Amino acid sequence: MNSNAYLVIDIGNTAQKVAVFDEAGNQLSWLRQPVVGVADLEAVLQEYRVKAALVSSVGETPAALEEFLQQRVCTLKFSPQLQLPVRLAYATPKTLGTDRIACAVGAHALYPMDNVLAIQAGSCLVTDLVTAEGDYLGGTIAPGLCMRLRALEHFTARLPLLEPSPVDFLVGDTTEKSILSGVVNGLVGEIEGMVYRYQAQFSPLKVVLTGGDAPLLSNSLKNSIFAAPNLVLLGLYKILRLNV
């Protein structure tokens, strides 16, 4: 059994993720699924000697998970009131999503001496900016890939609901291809345009891409954008260590 491990849980809008880190910040294990259950956490605690845990949720934390963890290990519930490795320069911190804070912390941990823009491509397309001085300034929120596909089906009479898939064409010669080209290429163009505008104001700038749709989008992006699949989990680990 590994000693002094740290458990972080990210309960998002469409997926729930669990990761274990060691003292040095190395990720030892990772789990992503629609719903994380008590049995999943039981398996983690049997394999690792967890010193402390941090739970972050965009909504309400499932009571069974919270009760189970509190009975087994020192458990923190993430909020902006915890000590943070970045300074929040956000006008309404009480409305700021914990996933956004954790993502910004993870980005700053990767590039602590640089201005860094973190892009989450998940349920929503979210950008968050942290300066080289460690100030979190805020960013943008827009519909994500699946949300855009669902909106086309929901608000029209005949357009079908499609699953996201990679696009290597511009001109769609079927209705399905036209939708995918419009949504995927449109989202890629939106990201590249946003990065260009951030670079004009905060150069030099590092850009990192994370989130469930990041692998689908990354090959189409032309800017120097670095893939960071578990950025939110890294940020949660950094916050947990700072508070225990």
Side-chain angles (χ1 to χ4, degrees):
M1 179 179 287
N2 292 275
S3 61
N4 289 339
Y6 296 86
L7 172 66
V8 295
I9 302 171
D10 173 32
I11 300 175
N13 289 305
T14 56
Q16 300 181 5
K17 288 148 277 187
V18 177
V20 178
F21 292 83
D22 65 14
E23 290 273 7
N26 300 306
Q27 186 175 298
L28 304 176
S29 70
W30 178 77
L31 170 68
R32 181 185 189 273
Q33 54 192 39
V35 178
V36 171
V38 169
D40 299 310
L41 300 185
E42 179 69 53
V44 170
L45 295 182
Q46 288 179 356
E47 184 173 356
Y48 301 98
R49 186 175 293 113
V50 175
K51 181 177 180 180
L54 177 63
V55 181
S56 171
S57 177
V58 297
E60 291 297 322
T61 304
L65 289 186
E66 194 169 353
E67 182 179 352
F68 171 80
L69 283 173
Q70 289 175 345
Q71 292 175 349
R72 298 290 298 273
V73 64
C74 171
T75 302
L76 301 179
K77 191 171 182 178
F78 184 35
S79 75
Q81 284 69 50
L82 292 178
Q83 294 185 70
L84 299 173
V86 299
R87 292 176 294 276
L88 298 183
Y90 200 71
T92 56
K94 290 184 179 179
T95 69
L96 184 57
T98 55
D99 59 326
R100 295 184 67 187
I101 299 174
C103 189
V105 169
H108 183 62
L110 290 179
Y111 301 105
M113 306 302 293
D114 298 291
N115 297 325
V116 56
L117 179 67
I119 303 173
Q120 290 189 74
S123 299
C124 294
L125 177 67
V126 182
T127 65
D128 291 294
L129 183 79
V130 184
T131 68
E133 293 74 31
D135 293 319
Y136 171 80
L137 302 185
T140 64
I141 303 174
L145 189 57
C146 287
M147 195 178 297
R148 298 177 193 218
L149 290 169
R150 293 192 188 107
L152 283 175
E153 186 271 338
H154 180 76
F155 290 108
T156 64
R158 300 180 62 184
L159 292 181
L161 176 61
L162 302 180
E163 291 295 321
S165 63
V167 169
D168 58 0
F169 53 87
L170 177 62
V171 179
D173 58 5
T174 67
T175 298
E176 287 76 10
K177 285 186 175 181
S178 296
I179 292 173
L180 289 173
S181 178
V183 171
V184 177
N185 287 326
L187 192 59
V188 167
E190 183 176 330
I191 292 172
E192 291 183 333
M194 194 68 69
V195 169
Y196 176 82
R197 296 183 67 180
Y198 272 106
Q199 287 173 332
Q201 191 170 346
F202 298 99
S203 182
L205 180 72
K206 299 288 188 182
V207 184
V208 291
L209 178 67
T210 191
D213 289 327
L216 187 149
L217 297 170
S218 59
N219 290 335
S220 299
L221 292 167
K222 297 177 182 178
N223 287 292
S224 297
I225 298 177
F226 302 95
N230 295 326
L231 196 59
V232 171
L233 296 173
L234 173 62
L236 291 175
Y237 162 75
K238 292 292 184 180
I239 294 166
L240 177 59
R241 291 301 306 272
L242 187 61
N243 284 272
V244 297

Coordinates of all heavy atoms in Angstrom, one line a residue, residues 34-107:
P34 N -19.6 8.1 -15.6 CA -20.7 9.0 -15.4 C -21.1 9.2 -14.0 O -21.4 10.3 -13.6 CB -21.9 8.2 -16.1 CG -21.1 7.4 -17.2 CD -19.8 7.0 -16.5
V35 N -21.0 8.2 -13.1 CA -21.3 8.3 -11.7 C -20.2 7.5 -10.9 O -20.0 6.3 -11.2 CB -22.7 7.8 -11.4 CG1 -22.9 7.9 -9.9 CG2 -23.7 8.6 -12.1
V36 N -19.6 8.2 -10.0 CA -18.7 7.5 -9.1 C -19.4 7.1 -7.8 O -20.2 7.8 -7.2 CB -17.5 8.5 -8.6 CG1 -16.7 7.8 -7.5 CG2 -16.6 8.8 -9.8
G37 N -19.3 5.8 -7.5 CA -20.0 5.2 -6.3 C -19.1 5.0 -5.1 O -17.9 5.0 -5.2
V38 N -19.7 4.6 -4.0 CA -19.0 4.3 -2.8 C -18.0 3.1 -3.1 O -16.9 3.1 -2.5 CB -20.0 4.0 -1.7 CG1 -19.2 3.4 -0.5 CG2 -20.7 5.2 -1.3
A39 N -18.4 2.2 -3.9 CA -17.6 1.0 -4.1 C -16.3 1.4 -4.8 O -15.2 0.8 -4.6 CB -18.3 0.0 -5.0
D40 N -16.4 2.4 -5.7 CA -15.2 2.9 -6.4 C -14.2 3.5 -5.4 O -13.0 3.3 -5.4 CB -15.6 4.0 -7.4 CG -16.5 3.4 -8.5 OD1 -16.1 2.4 -9.1 OD2 -17.5 4.0 -8.8
L41 N -14.7 4.3 -4.4 CA -13.9 4.9 -3.4 C -13.3 3.9 -2.4 O -12.2 4.0 -2.0 CB -14.7 6.0 -2.7 CG -15.2 7.2 -3.5 CD1 -15.9 8.2 -2.6 CD2 -14.1 7.8 -4.4
E42 N -14.1 2.9 -2.1 CA -13.7 1.8 -1.3 C -12.5 1.1 -1.9 O -11.5 0.8 -1.2 CB -14.8 0.8 -1.0 CG -14.4 -0.4 -0.1 CD -14.2 0.0 1.3 OE1 -15.1 0.7 1.9 OE2 -13.2 -0.3 1.9
A43 N -12.5 0.9 -3.2 CA -11.4 0.2 -3.9 C -10.1 1.1 -3.8 O -9.0 0.6 -3.6 CB -11.8 -0.1 -5.3
V44 N -10.3 2.4 -3.9 CA -9.2 3.3 -3.9 C -8.5 3.3 -2.5 O -7.3 3.2 -2.3 CB -9.6 4.8 -4.2 CG1 -8.5 5.7 -3.9 CG2 -10.0 4.8 -5.7
L45 N -9.4 3.3 -1.5 CA -8.9 3.4 -0.1 C -8.2 2.1 0.3 O -7.4 2.0 1.2 CB -10.0 3.8 0.9 CG -10.6 5.2 0.7 CD1 -11.6 5.4 1.7 CD2 -9.5 6.2 0.8
Q46 N -8.6 1.0 -0.3 CA -8.0 -0.3 0.0 C -6.6 -0.4 -0.7 O -5.7 -1.1 -0.1 CB -8.9 -1.4 -0.5 CG -10.1 -1.7 0.3 CD -11.0 -2.8 -0.2 OE1 -10.7 -3.4 -1.3 NE2 -12.1 -3.1 0.5
E47 N -6.4 0.3 -1.8 CA -5.1 0.2 -2.5 C -4.1 1.3 -2.0 O -2.9 1.1 -2.0 CB -5.4 0.4 -4.0 CG -4.1 0.3 -4.8 CD -4.4 0.3 -6.3 OE1 -5.6 0.4 -6.7 OE2 -3.4 0.3 -7.1
Y48 N -4.6 2.5 -1.6 CA -3.8 3.6 -1.2 C -4.0 4.0 0.2 O -5.2 4.0 0.7 CB -4.0 4.8 -2.1 CG -3.7 4.4 -3.6 CD1 -4.7 4.1 -4.5 CD2 -2.4 4.4 -4.1 CE1 -4.5 3.9 -5.8 CE2 -2.1 4.1 -5.4 CZ -3.2 3.9 -6.3 OH -2.9 3.6 -7.6
R49 N -3.0 4.4 0.9 CA -3.1 4.9 2.3 C -3.4 6.4 2.1 O -2.4 7.3 2.1 CB -1.9 4.7 3.1 CG -2.0 5.1 4.6 CD -0.8 4.7 5.4 NE -0.7 3.3 5.5 CZ 0.3 2.5 5.0 NH1 1.2 3.1 4.3 NH2 0.3 1.2 5.2
V50 N -4.6 6.8 2.0 CA -5.0 8.2 1.7 C -4.9 9.0 3.0 O -5.5 8.7 4.0 CB -6.4 8.3 1.1 CG1 -6.8 9.7 0.9 CG2 -6.4 7.5 -0.2
K51 N -4.1 10.1 2.9 CA -3.9 11.0 4.0 C -5.1 12.0 4.1 O -5.5 12.4 5.2 CB -2.6 11.7 3.9 CG -2.3 12.7 5.0 CD -0.9 13.3 4.9 CE -0.6 14.3 6.0 NZ 0.7 14.9 5.9
A52 N -5.5 12.5 3.0 CA -6.6 13.5 2.9 C -7.3 13.5 1.6 O -6.7 13.0 0.6 CB -6.0 14.9 3.2
A53 N -8.5 14.0 1.5 CA -9.3 14.0 0.3 C -9.9 15.4 0.1 O -10.2 16.1 1.1 CB -10.4 12.9 0.3
L54 N -10.1 15.7 -1.1 CA -10.8 17.0 -1.5 C -11.9 16.6 -2.5 O -11.6 16.0 -3.5 CB -9.8 18.0 -2.1 CG -10.4 19.3 -2.5 CD1 -11.0 20.1 -1.4 CD2 -9.3 20.2 -3.2
V55 N -13.1 17.1 -2.3 CA -14.2 16.9 -3.2 C -14.6 18.2 -3.8 O -14.9 19.2 -3.0 CB -15.4 16.2 -2.4 CG1 -16.6 16.0 -3.4 CG2 -15.0 14.9 -1.8
S56 N -14.7 18.3 -5.1 CA -15.2 19.5 -5.8 C -16.4 19.1 -6.6 O -16.4 18.1 -7.3 CB -14.1 20.0 -6.7 OG -14.6 21.0 -7.5
S57 N -17.4 19.9 -6.6 CA -18.7 19.6 -7.3 C -19.2 20.9 -7.9 O -19.3 21.9 -7.2 CB -19.7 18.9 -6.4 OG -20.9 18.6 -7.1
V58 N -19.7 20.8 -9.1 CA -20.3 21.9 -9.8 C -21.8 22.1 -9.2 O -22.4 23.1 -9.4 CB -20.3 21.8 -11.3 CG1 -18.9 21.8 -11.8 CG2 -21.1 20.6 -11.7
G59 N -22.3 21.0 -8.6 CA -23.6 21.1 -8.0 C -23.5 20.6 -6.6 O -22.6 20.9 -5.8
E60 N -24.5 19.7 -6.2 CA -24.4 19.2 -4.8 C -23.6 17.9 -4.8 O -23.8 17.0 -5.7 CB -25.9 18.9 -4.4 CG -26.7 20.1 -4.1 CD -26.1 21.0 -2.9 OE1 -25.6 20.4 -2.0 OE2 -26.2 22.2 -3.1
T61 N -22.8 17.7 -3.8 CA -22.1 16.4 -3.7 C -23.0 15.4 -3.2 O -23.8 15.6 -2.3 CB -20.9 16.6 -2.6 OG1 -20.1 17.7 -3.0 CG2 -20.1 15.3 -2.5
P62 N -23.0 14.2 -3.8 CA -23.9 13.1 -3.4 C -23.6 12.8 -1.9 O -22.5 12.6 -1.5 CB -23.4 11.9 -4.3 CG -22.9 12.5 -5.5 CD -22.3 13.8 -5.1
A63 N -24.7 12.7 -1.1 CA -24.6 12.6 0.3 C -23.9 11.3 0.7 O -23.1 11.3 1.7 CB -26.0 12.6 0.9
A64 N -24.1 10.2 0.0 CA -23.5 8.9 0.3 C -22.0 9.0 0.2 O -21.2 8.5 1.0 CB -24.1 7.8 -0.6
L65 N -21.5 9.7 -0.9 CA -20.0 9.8 -1.1 C -19.4 10.6 0.0 O -18.4 10.3 0.6 CB -19.7 10.4 -2.4 CG -20.0 9.6 -3.7 CD1 -19.5 10.4 -4.9 CD2 -19.3 8.2 -3.6
E66 N -20.1 11.7 0.3 CA -19.5 12.7 1.3 C -19.5 12.0 2.7 O -18.5 12.1 3.4 CB -20.4 13.9 1.4 CG -19.7 15.1 2.1 CD -20.5 16.4 2.0 OE1 -21.4 16.4 1.1 OE2 -20.1 17.3 2.6
E67 N -20.5 11.3 3.1 CA -20.6 10.6 4.4 C -19.6 9.5 4.4 O -18.9 9.4 5.5 CB -22.0 10.0 4.6 CG -22.2 9.3 5.9 CD -23.6 8.8 6.1 OE1 -24.4 9.1 5.2 OE2 -23.8 8.0 7.1
F68 N -19.4 8.7 3.3 CA -18.4 7.7 3.3 C -17.0 8.2 3.5 O -16.3 7.7 4.4 CB -18.5 6.9 2.0 CG -17.4 5.9 1.8 CD1 -17.5 4.7 2.4 CD2 -16.3 6.2 1.0 CE1 -16.4 3.7 2.2 CE2 -15.3 5.3 0.8 CZ -15.4 4.1 1.4
L69 N -16.7 9.2 2.8 CA -15.3 9.8 2.9 C -15.0 10.4 4.3 O -14.0 10.2 4.9 CB -15.1 10.8 1.9 CG -14.8 10.4 0.4 CD1 -14.8 11.5 -0.5 CD2 -13.5 9.6 0.3
Q70 N -16.0 11.1 4.8 CA -15.8 11.7 6.1 C -15.6 10.7 7.2 O -14.9 11.0 8.3 CB -17.0 12.7 6.4 CG -17.0 13.9 5.6 CD -18.2 14.8 5.8 OE1 -19.2 14.3 6.4 NE2 -18.2 16.0 5.3
Q71 N -16.2 9.5 7.1 CA -16.0 8.5 8.1 C -14.7 7.8 7.9 O -14.2 7.1 8.9 CB -17.1 7.4 7.9 CG -18.5 8.0 8.3 CD -19.6 6.9 8.0 OE1 -19.4 5.9 7.4 NE2 -20.8 7.2 8.6
R72 N -14.0 7.9 6.8 CA -12.8 7.1 6.5 C -11.5 8.0 6.5 O -10.4 7.4 6.8 CB -12.9 6.4 5.2 CG -14.1 5.4 5.1 CD -13.8 4.2 6.0 NE -12.7 3.5 5.5 CZ -12.7 2.6 4.5 NH1 -13.8 2.2 3.9 NH2 -11.6 2.0 4.2
V73 N -11.6 9.2 6.1 CA -10.4 10.0 5.9 C -10.7 11.5 6.1 O -11.8 11.9 6.0 CB -9.8 9.7 4.5 CG1 -10.8 10.2 3.4 CG2 -8.5 10.3 4.3
C74 N -9.7 12.3 6.4 CA -9.8 13.7 6.5 C -10.3 14.2 5.2 O -9.6 14.1 4.2 CB -8.5 14.3 6.9 SG -8.5 16.2 6.8
T75 N -11.5 14.8 5.1 CA -12.1 15.2 3.8 C -12.4 16.7 3.9 O -13.1 17.2 4.8 CB -13.3 14.4 3.6 OG1 -13.0 13.0 3.5 CG2 -13.9 14.8 2.2
L76 N -12.0 17.4 2.8 CA -12.4 18.8 2.6 C -13.3 18.9 1.5 O -13.3 18.2 0.5 CB -11.1 19.6 2.3 CG -10.0 19.7 3.4 CD1 -8.8 20.5 2.9 CD2 -10.5 20.1 4.7
K77 N -14.3 19.9 1.6 CA -15.2 20.2 0.5 C -14.7 21.5 -0.1 O -14.5 22.5 0.6 CB -16.6 20.3 1.0 CG -17.6 20.4 -0.1 CD -19.0 20.3 0.5 CE -20.1 20.3 -0.6 NZ -21.5 20.2 -0.1
F78 N -14.4 21.5 -1.4 CA -13.8 22.7 -2.0 C -14.8 23.9 -2.1 O -15.9 23.7 -2.5 CB -13.3 22.3 -3.4 CG -12.6 23.4 -4.1 CD1 -11.8 24.3 -3.4 CD2 -12.7 23.6 -5.5 CE1 -11.1 25.3 -4.1 CE2 -12.0 24.6 -6.1 CZ -11.2 25.5 -5.4
S79 N -14.2 25.0 -1.7 CA -14.9 26.3 -1.8 C -13.9 27.4 -2.0 O -12.7 27.2 -1.7 CB -15.8 26.5 -0.6 OG -15.0 27.0 0.5
P80 N -14.3 28.5 -2.5 CA -13.3 29.6 -2.7 C -12.7 30.1 -1.4 O -11.8 30.9 -1.4 CB -14.2 30.7 -3.4 CG -15.3 30.0 -4.0 CD -15.6 28.8 -3.1
Q81 N -13.3 29.7 -0.3 CA -12.8 30.1 1.0 C -11.6 29.4 1.5 O -10.9 29.8 2.4 CB -13.9 30.0 2.1 CG -15.0 31.0 2.1 CD -15.9 30.9 0.8 OE1 -16.4 29.9 0.5 NE2 -16.1 32.0 0.1
L82 N -11.2 28.3 0.8 CA -10.0 27.5 1.1 C -8.8 28.4 0.7 O -8.9 29.3 -0.2 CB -10.0 26.2 0.4 CG -11.0 25.1 0.8 CD1 -10.8 23.9 0.0 CD2 -10.8 24.8 2.3
Q83 N -7.6 28.1 1.3 CA -6.4 28.7 0.8 C -6.2 28.3 -0.7 O -6.3 27.1 -1.0 CB -5.2 28.3 1.7 CG -5.3 28.8 3.1 CD -4.0 28.5 3.8 OE1 -3.0 29.1 3.5 NE2 -4.1 27.6 4.7
L84 N -5.8 29.2 -1.5 CA -5.5 28.9 -2.9 C -4.1 29.4 -3.3 O -3.6 30.4 -2.8 CB -6.6 29.7 -3.8 CG -8.0 29.3 -3.6 CD1 -8.9 30.3 -4.4 CD2 -8.3 27.9 -3.9
P85 N -3.5 28.7 -4.3 CA -2.2 29.1 -4.8 C -2.3 30.3 -5.7 O -1.2 30.7 -6.2 CB -1.7 27.8 -5.5 CG -2.6 26.7 -5.1 CD -3.9 27.4 -4.8
V86 N -3.5 30.7 -6.1 CA -3.7 31.9 -6.9 C -4.5 32.9 -6.2 O -5.3 32.5 -5.2 CB -4.3 31.6 -8.3 CG1 -3.4 30.6 -9.1 CG2 -5.7 31.0 -8.1
R87 N -4.4 34.2 -6.6 CA -5.3 35.2 -6.0 C -6.5 35.5 -6.9 O -6.3 35.7 -8.1 CB -4.5 36.5 -5.8 CG -3.4 36.4 -4.7 CD -2.6 37.6 -4.7 NE -1.8 37.9 -5.9 CZ -0.6 37.3 -6.1 NH1 -0.1 36.5 -5.3 NH2 0.0 37.6 -7.3
L88 N -7.7 35.4 -6.3 CA -8.9 35.6 -7.1 C -9.1 37.1 -7.3 O -9.4 37.9 -6.3 CB -10.1 35.0 -6.4 CG -10.0 33.5 -6.2 CD1 -11.3 33.0 -5.6 CD2 -9.8 32.8 -7.5
A89 N -9.0 37.6 -8.5 CA -9.4 39.0 -8.9 C -10.7 39.0 -9.6 O -10.8 39.6 -10.7 CB -8.2 39.6 -9.7
Y90 N -11.6 38.2 -9.1 CA -12.9 38.0 -9.8 C -14.0 38.8 -9.0 O -14.0 38.8 -7.8 CB -13.2 36.5 -9.8 CG -14.3 36.1 -10.8 CD1 -14.0 36.0 -12.1 CD2 -15.5 35.6 -10.4 CE1 -14.9 35.5 -13.1 CE2 -16.5 35.1 -11.3 CZ -16.1 35.1 -12.6 OH -17.1 34.7 -13.6
A91 N -14.8 39.5 -9.7 CA -15.7 40.4 -9.1 C -16.8 39.7 -8.2 O -17.3 40.2 -7.2 CB -16.4 41.3 -10.1
T92 N -17.1 38.5 -8.6 CA -18.2 37.7 -7.9 C -17.6 36.3 -7.6 O -18.1 35.3 -8.2 CB -19.5 37.6 -8.7 OG1 -19.2 37.0 -10.0 CG2 -20.1 39.0 -9.0
P93 N -16.7 36.2 -6.6 CA -16.1 34.9 -6.3 C -17.1 33.9 -5.8 O -16.9 32.7 -6.0 CB -15.0 35.2 -5.3 CG -15.5 36.5 -4.7 CD -16.1 37.3 -5.8
K94 N -18.2 34.3 -5.2 CA -19.2 33.3 -4.7 C -19.9 32.6 -5.9 O -20.5 31.5 -5.7 CB -20.2 34.0 -3.8 CG -19.6 34.5 -2.5 CD -20.7 35.1 -1.6 CE -20.1 35.5 -0.3 NZ -21.1 36.2 0.6
T95 N -19.9 33.2 -7.1 CA -20.6 32.6 -8.2 C -19.6 31.8 -9.1 O -20.0 31.2 -10.1 CB -21.3 33.6 -9.1 OG1 -20.3 34.5 -9.7 CG2 -22.2 34.5 -8.2
L96 N -18.3 31.8 -8.7 CA -17.3 31.2 -9.5 C -17.2 29.7 -9.3 O -17.1 29.2 -8.2 CB -15.9 31.8 -9.2 CG -14.7 31.4 -10.0 CD1 -14.9 31.7 -11.4 CD2 -13.4 32.1 -9.4
G97 N -17.4 29.0 -10.4 CA -17.4 27.5 -10.4 C -16.1 27.0 -9.8 O -15.0 27.4 -10.2
T98 N -16.2 26.0 -9.0 CA -15.0 25.4 -8.4 C -14.1 24.7 -9.4 O -12.9 24.7 -9.3 CB -15.4 24.3 -7.3 OG1 -16.3 23.4 -7.9 CG2 -16.1 25.0 -6.1
D99 N -14.7 24.2 -10.5 CA -13.9 23.6 -11.6 C -13.1 24.6 -12.3 O -11.9 24.3 -12.7 CB -14.8 22.9 -12.6 CG -15.9 23.8 -13.2 OD1 -16.3 24.7 -12.5 OD2 -16.2 23.6 -14.4
R100 N -13.6 25.9 -12.4 CA -12.8 26.9 -13.0 C -11.6 27.3 -12.1 O -10.5 27.5 -12.7 CB -13.7 28.1 -13.3 CG -14.8 27.9 -14.3 CD -15.6 29.2 -14.5 NE -14.7 30.2 -15.2 CZ -15.1 31.5 -15.5 NH1 -16.3 31.9 -15.0 NH2 -14.3 32.3 -16.1
I101 N -11.8 27.4 -10.9 CA -10.7 27.7 -10.0 C -9.7 26.6 -10.0 O -8.5 26.9 -10.1 CB -11.2 27.9 -8.5 CG1 -12.2 29.0 -8.4 CG2 -10.1 28.1 -7.6 CD1 -12.9 29.2 -7.1
A102 N -10.1 25.4 -9.9 CA -9.2 24.3 -10.0 C -8.4 24.2 -11.3 O -7.2 23.9 -11.3 CB -9.9 22.9 -9.7
C103 N -9.1 24.5 -12.4 CA -8.4 24.5 -13.7 C -7.4 25.6 -13.7 O -6.3 25.4 -14.2 CB -9.5 24.7 -14.8 SG -8.9 24.5 -16.4
A104 N -7.7 26.7 -13.2 CA -6.7 27.9 -13.2 C -5.5 27.5 -12.3 O -4.4 27.8 -12.7 CB -7.4 29.1 -12.7
V105 N -5.8 26.9 -11.2 CA -4.7 26.5 -10.3 C -3.8 25.5 -11.0 O -2.6 25.6 -10.9 CB -5.3 26.0 -9.0 CG1 -4.2 25.3 -8.2 CG2 -5.9 27.1 -8.2
G106 N -4.4 24.5 -11.7 CA -3.6 23.5 -12.4 C -2.8 24.1 -13.5 O -1.6 23.8 -13.7
A107 N -3.3 25.1 -14.2 CA -2.6 25.8 -15.3 C -1.4 26.6 -14.7 O -0.3 26.6 -15.3 CB -3.5 26.7 -16.1

